[in-house]
Amino acid sequence: MSTAELSFSETRAGSRRNLVGLSREALAALFGEAFSLEPKKARMRASQVWRWIYHFGATDFDRMTDIGKEMRGGLAERFFIARPEVVERQVSTDGARKYLLRMAPGTEVECVFIPDVGRAGALCVSSQVGCTLNCTFCHTGTQKLVRNLTAAEIVGQVLAVKDDLGEWPSNREDRRLSNIVFMGMGEPLYNLDNVAAAIAVIADGDGVSISRRRITVSTSGVVPEIPRLGETTNAMLAISLHATNDALRDRLVPINRKYPIAELLAACRAYPDLSNARRITFEYVMLKGVNDTDAEARELVRLLSNIPAKINLIPFNPWPGAPYECSSWRRIEAFADIVNRAGYASPIRTPRGRDILAACGQLKSESVKQRASERLRAQTAGPAS
Ligand code: SAH
Ligand code: SF4
């Protein structure tokens, strides 16, 4: 079987193994075993191959010219370096790019590249297919199919987008992909092992080299996993707060019934290495007549007063059948004004990629819908079209 026919999620093609997403240590162990190398030599090979995969974007062992020809042949016999298949790619008028990636038959995830966010541009990656937490304003939460993505499938999103942006080698001065946000489909703290393994690969300075302070993990509030996120990844934390009292948050973000606001904020205060340069981002979706009064803006500021925080007001992105509307622009500005006066700079998150339905909480479901309608069109058009 050629790698082109493979589904990315297969870790094996016949006797060959996909190397994407494995740690350096795992690579060294595989090479040590495959070629009977001493640990030191195996580690050296792992470093060379690592650099080719993550610094140069190689998918072919023949490019690895600092490795002898014979060894390259041996590697190609036993291993391969795969990419998820880009099923759809849409570019917004504002430069945002949305990708639908096929990991395996029937397993498709979306990720979105958003220019001019962070140092240069951010890639919003998915951590699960769908999501088990039914936040009432989120379209992803209405999807039935849910599974965790593997570390390889998370790293695969980054590699596929770097291919598309032409961002190899990774240390280019003019890189457009400078930040990663786990704000696509899924709850990353329900898949923390794989998320942490993926972050270790992405943050490695001899590869993709996106530093941990430019990687943000957003959670709806899985409180018991927040300390481990800090300890194992040292990534930046974002909290989907969306309400300032438990009665309302219970409704909007149902996991709040398990871990209420006071517990969530206590976990935030204990997050490692917080400072003015390392703040927690609090996301707050603006829902008309639900959570958008001046009193709530003041309460939000009060709640966060003893946490180094950034506030991100997200205009609600509507989806068909959604039970909410976005607050009016005037309301959002008035709310932002109060937040602003409390010392938080530019708190409104400009909606991006709206024309391609690339915005928060809209991922995947729309593309499924669209493709269903395409199928319908194809069916009704008949075989001649
Ligand atoms: N599950 C994680 C990360 C993915 S959601 C979490 O909930 O934090 C990323 C962000 O998009 C979250 O803040 C989420 O609350 C927000 N979001 C979801 N649906 C939205 C919508 N329709 N409009 C605006 N923001 C939305
Ligand atoms: Fe899941 Fe986040 Fe959507 Fe809630 S907002 S349903 S946690 S993806």
Side-chain angles (χ1 to χ4, degrees):
M1 196 170 14
S2 81
T3 46
E5 297 159 352
L6 260 181
S7 88
F8 177 79
S9 303
E10 299 287 341
T11 50
R12 290 184 176 283
S15 57
R16 292 187 302 154
R17 199 181 196 298
N18 184 12
L19 296 183
V20 169
L22 298 177
S23 66
R24 276 169 180 277
E25 296 72 33
L27 283 189
L30 280 176
F31 297 163
E33 192 183 273
F35 306 108
S36 310
L37 303 175
E38 290 165 19
K40 196 167 162 223
K41 194 95 184 145
R43 278 200 299 276
M44 192 197 87
R45 283 284 175 241
S47 291
Q48 286 175 309
V49 171
W50 180 278
R51 196 167 161 77
W52 281 106
I53 299 177
Y54 296 112
H55 181 75
F56 292 111
T59 51
D60 187 343
F61 293 101
D62 263 345
R63 272 187 67 195
M64 305 184 182
T65 43
D66 55 350
I67 299 175
K69 206 162 177 218
E70 204 174 311
M71 176 61 88
R72 293 200 311 253
L75 285 165
E77 267 170 37
R78 294 169 179 84
F79 306 109
F80 63 98
I81 303 158
R83 292 285 192 271
E85 181 194 346
V86 180
V87 187
E88 261 176 53
R89 170 182 174 279
Q90 287 171 280
V91 181
S92 161
T93 47
D94 62 22
R97 295 181 184 206
K98 181 168 79 163
Y99 303 84
L100 180 66
L101 303 177
R102 181 172 297 141
M103 299 296 175
T107 305
E108 286 163 3
V109 300
E110 287 192 345
C111 59
V112 182
F113 172 73
I114 312 151
D116 312 316
V117 170
R119 201 188 70 178
L123 179 64
C124 175
V125 295
S126 294
S127 56
Q128 299 183 307
V129 182
C131 185
T132 51
L133 295 167
N134 303 303
C135 303
T136 44
F137 52 86
C138 174
H139 207 184
T140 307
T142 64
Q143 262 177 252
K144 289 216 173 66
L145 178 73
V146 182
R147 85 153 162 84
N148 281 338
L149 294 179
T150 62
E153 289 167 336
I154 297 168
V155 172
Q157 297 172 56
V158 180
L159 300 184
V161 173
K162 279 174 68 78
D163 285 352
D164 187 51
L165 295 172
E167 300 243 311
W168 304 110
S170 289
N171 65 347
R172 290 170 53 136
E173 274 296 315
D174 59 347
R175 73 199 293 184
R176 285 183 284 171
L177 204 183
S178 58
N179 295 59
I180 302 277
V181 295
F182 283 81
M183 294 184 186
M185 295 156 58
E187 171 47 59
L189 295 197
Y190 275 173
N191 187 20
L192 183 50
D193 290 342
N194 290 321
V195 165
I199 289 176
V201 173
I202 298 162
D204 189 291
D206 204 24
V208 174
S209 199
I210 294 178
S211 85
R212 290 165 189 273
R213 41 183 310 266
R214 296 192 200 284
I215 299 178
T216 302
V217 176
S218 173
T219 180
S220 56
V222 186
V223 168
E225 294 287 29
I226 291 176
R228 195 158 71 92
L229 175 74
E231 285 152 23
T232 58
T233 72
N234 207 23
M236 305 299 284
L237 177 62
I239 301 286
S240 296
L241 192 61
H242 306 319
T244 54
N245 64 76
D246 283 323
L248 179 59
R249 194 161 191 273
D250 282 352
R251 259 203 297 140
L252 300 180
V253 187
I255 198 178
N256 193 71
R257 294 175 204 157
K258 225 169 167 176
Y259 311 116
I261 294 174
E263 282 179 34
L264 178 58
L265 295 183
C268 289
R269 275 181 219 107
Y271 200 71
D273 304 329
L274 289 185
S275 67
N276 275 345
R278 244 182 91 86
R279 299 172 198 233
I280 297 178
T281 302
F282 288 87
E283 297 161 278
Y284 195 95
V285 65
M286 298 300 297
L287 303 171
K288 185 184 227 159
V290 175
N291 65 354
D292 60 355
T293 61
D294 285 355
E296 282 160 304
R298 285 190 291 270
E299 180 59 8
L300 178 64
V301 166
R302 193 194 65 80
L303 275 177
L304 304 183
S305 61
N306 52 7
I307 304 175
K310 281 189 261 194
I311 295 177
N312 232 261
L313 304 177
I314 316 175
F316 170 65
N317 291 302
W319 37 274
Y324 303 103
E325 283 175 75
C326 184
S327 310
S328 70
W329 197 246
R330 273 187 55 197
R331 183 88 297 272
I332 297 178
E333 278 185 329
F335 196 102
D337 221 43
I338 294 170
V339 169
N340 237 313
R341 272 185 271 126
Y344 297 92
S346 52
I348 306 176
R349 186 189 293 172
T350 333
R352 306 296 299 266
R354 276 205 161 167
D355 53 335
I356 56 168
L357 294 163
C360 289
Q362 293 184 320
L363 293 191
K364 169 84 178 184
S365 23
E366 275 304 324
S367 64
V368 168
K369 206 171 134 251
Q370 190 189 342
R371 286 182 320 114
S373 66
E374 274 166 13
R375 267 201 300 280
L376 199 69
R377 254 205 313 280
Q379 275 163 14
T380 47
S385 68

